[in-house]
Amino acid sequence: MDAAQYLRKSRMEEGMDTEEVLAKHRKALAEYAAANGIHIIETYYEVVSGESLYARPEMLRLLEDVEDGKYDAVLCMDLDRLSRGRMKDQGIILDAFKDSGTLIVTPEKTYDLSDEIDDELAEFKTFMSRREYKIINKRLQRGKAQTIRDGCYVANAPYGYRKVTIDRKPTLEIVESEAAYVRMMFEMYADGYGCVAIARHINTLGAKPRRCDAFNRSTVALILKNPVYIGKVVWDRTKHVRKGARGNPKHITIQQTRDHWVIVDGLHPAIIDKELFGQVQDIMAGRYIPPANDGTIKSPLAGLVKCAVCGRNMQRMGTNTDTLYLLCNTPGCCAGAKLAFVELRILQHLQRTLAELSIETPAVRIKDTSAQEASLAVIRKEQKAADAQKSRLYDLLEMGEYDIPTFRERMAKVKDKIAALEQKEAELLLVIDQAHTADPAELARRIKAVLDAYDTSDAAHRNALLKGVIQTVWYRKKKKTAPSDFQLTIDLKYN
């Protein structure tokens, strides 16, 4: 019997190392499969723990393969690993197995959903696991609320601190090698230096942030605004809106204003004194308006313009004179420009494109994509090799060839490689798709509709209009050049 195995950490295993848990489960399922004549041909590692089905990418990939009839069965440690989310999601998962005739195999029991008794039992077990999940979640929230009130709850250790437990309470202790840079940031800002200058200076001194290669304007600004450095614990700085909750097409994270934060005295020691912290906050309040996501779109170019040098999204920045700029957060990268100049240049490009397109142009314009298709084949071959390498890493961990730190380091590199290949694959597929289905007449009609409605629209509507005809705007500008001396490469949506 050909089968896949699905590995996912359960709620009861929270706090345990994910790689260790999944390696243990993989070994147990491999032993069960060998004893029962089951041939495992694919493994799906779910390293995220989202409640929603759409927050579990490996489960979505598994369901596609199950619906295609790729496997006779799917192995998992128990039924809860497959389906413990919302009732709607549970129905989607169970229906996929039932319609395809794929068995669900656990060390405890095999479920054949074409059998009425197994089908009812699976529905009952998933219902009970969902109820158990809600009870556990409520307990966790009550416990978290209490630790917040006690001033000892810390979700993540910010730069300059590490998490510790004192008297069974989670808190922070100072990492002096990082705290020295934190003090330097506050002192330099109070002396009149900007976030970009501070980032450049501490990068040259060898400072390394936790989640990226180097400090930039945004990471410095976040540190300067964080009350944790004066011994406070902050809660509710963000809130989450689920996909579809407000008609939004995807899950969004909203940065809440300071008056919505919950700030209490923490148990951890302060790195910065309150006087210096207050001085920095006063300077920041009068110097610029930091961009923040409050659930609304304020820029017509949001998510459209990318730096052509580093590939990152250009960020909107407002000043106290209400002039908006587009800036690249990568230190030493492209120079910024006024947002209005970039917006005008994009509209002018659309006007020229509309003038060039003719309604009588043939409906389909086929381009030669043999080079792109050859590149796509190479990328998919590399993806297959990377997936095999990822699987071998787990084997080597189980055999004791790697220790946990080495495993994590090598797994991170493989994951980065896979992500880069997936990005290249998506870009090539878009080019091929546009080349084969490009309809200039339809594009002309859509561009005309955008230009006709643009002047009377607000920022959010303008953003939606532009995204209807533009895939990406690539921005490039050299340092110390004229304000309007920048170059744009605009990828249009032909279909």
Side-chain angles (χ1 to χ4, degrees), residues 1-48:
M1 183 164 61
D2 289 335
Q5 58 180 349
Y6 178 76
L7 305 177
R8 179 191 181 201
K9 190 167 71 171
S10 74
R11 173 70 65 174
M12 299 301 293
E13 294 160 334
E14 289 295 330
M16 299 173 63
D17 184 84
T18 300
E19 285 83 4
E20 289 182 8
V21 170
L22 297 188
K24 178 181 177 182
H25 292 175
R26 186 171 186 264
K27 182 178 180 180
L29 290 179
E31 292 174 353
Y32 179 86
N36 291 272
I38 300 173
H39 178 218
I40 299 175
I41 59 176
E42 182 71 66
T43 300
Y44 298 79
Y45 297 97
E46 197 76 79
V47 295
V48 297

Side-chain angles (χ1 to χ4, degrees), residues 347-362 365 367 439-441 443-445 447-448 451 490 492 494:
L347 293 175
Q348 290 172 343
H349 178 83
L350 292 179
Q351 290 167 348
R352 289 195 302 270
T353 301
L354 180 60
E356 294 169 0
L357 294 173
S358 170
I359 301 300
E360 288 78 24
T361 303
R365 182 173 60 197
K367 294 181 180 179
D439 187 345
L443 177 61
R445 285 190 286 270
I447 291 177
K448 186 176 186 305
L451 296 174
I490 301 176
L492 296 174
Y494 282 90

Side-chain angles (χ1 to χ4, degrees), residues 159-176:
Y159 187 81
Y161 288 103
R162 61 171 158 258
K163 295 178 72 171
V164 294
T165 301
I166 299 177
D167 295 332
R168 299 185 178 181
K169 292 182 178 181
T171 185
L172 301 171
E173 70 176 9
I174 295 175
V175 179
E176 190 55 44

